[in-house]
Amino acid sequence: VIICISDEQGNDNDFQSIDTTLINSLGGDSHASVVQRFVCKVPSDAKDGVFAHQFSTIVSSPQMKGVNVIFVIVPSDLLAEDRGSSAIAFRAGLEVSHALRPILTKNANCMALHVRKCASSHDPMAALFENVVGIVRDGSAVLITCSDRGLEGATGAVKGLLGQLTSLLISTAD
């Protein structure tokens, strides 16, 4: 799990609740686990390519070698009362999506649209997030981005496909 927060968001996000929601939505501890968690800061202006390079480094790191499914979660400030905080999370989501597209070896745009649709069925604000789904590390892992808003719906959308997809990736890597 890679959790991306913007420079403008505080560090008081409850990342454990994101992990718990993710695990429970994927079938519980017997079906999924968080092997590694990285927290990265989304710069307010990520156009210089450093942020994209940071993602590439994390995804290819030795700690992620045995990981077949990588979730990139952009938390929103669910308790924020002002619209400015939602706008910050929205911009961070766009920066993350923009930075991840170049490291994908194959896009799964239809799957990303399905993730977005299912996430927004749980939380309509999730429809504003630009989900990205694709293959990374030369076909050895699936990368899925989503917001913490509607996370249950987003993971439910891919739950049935992940087992088949990861077994396909493992068989083609051999």
Side-chain angles (χ1 to χ4, degrees):
V1 175
I2 302 172
I3 299 173
C4 300
I5 58 174
S6 75
D7 284 336
E8 299 161 317
Q9 286 175 307
N11 288 324
D12 57 349
N13 287 304
D14 183 11
F15 300 137
Q16 187 60 44
S17 70
I18 290 173
D19 290 350
T20 302
T21 301
L22 193 60
I23 297 298
N24 290 338
S25 298
L26 291 172
D29 292 329
S30 62
H31 291 93
S33 63
V34 174
V35 175
Q36 186 74 37
R37 182 192 317 137
F38 292 95
V39 177
C40 64
K41 290 274 193 175
V42 181
S44 56
D45 183 15
K47 291 181 177 70
D48 59 6
V50 173
F51 185 56
H53 179 70
Q54 178 186 13
F55 262 112
S56 183
T57 303
I58 290 172
V59 168
S60 300
S61 71
Q63 298 96 322
M64 298 290 269
K65 185 173 174 70
V67 177
N68 296 330
V69 180
I70 302 168
F71 278 92
V72 178
I73 311 292
V74 180
S76 59
D77 189 354
L78 297 173
L79 302 176
E81 295 183 18
D82 67 338
R83 289 187 175 176
S85 180
S86 294
I88 291 168
F90 175 70
R91 282 192 306 274
L94 289 175
E95 292 292 347
V96 168
S97 296
H98 177 72
L100 286 175
R101 288 192 193 285
I103 70 168
L104 296 177
T105 54
K106 177 74 175 151
N107 282 316
N109 293 329
C110 290
M111 198 169 171
L113 184 59
H114 185 60
V115 167
R116 185 181 204 171
K117 180 181 174 185
C118 291
S120 63
S121 72
H122 283 259
D123 185 337
M125 290 297 288
L128 296 174
F129 188 82
E130 185 178 349
N131 300 88
V132 174
V133 179
I135 306 297
V136 293
R137 294 193 323 234
D138 297 322
S140 65
V142 178
L143 186 133
I144 303 166
T145 65
C146 47
S147 171
D148 61 341
R149 299 189 74 145
L151 185 57
E152 302 90 357
T155 53
V158 296
K159 179 181 173 182
L161 299 172
L162 289 178
Q164 295 172 340
L165 199 52
T166 55
S167 64
L168 179 68
L169 292 173
I170 291 168
S171 68
T172 57
D174 292 339

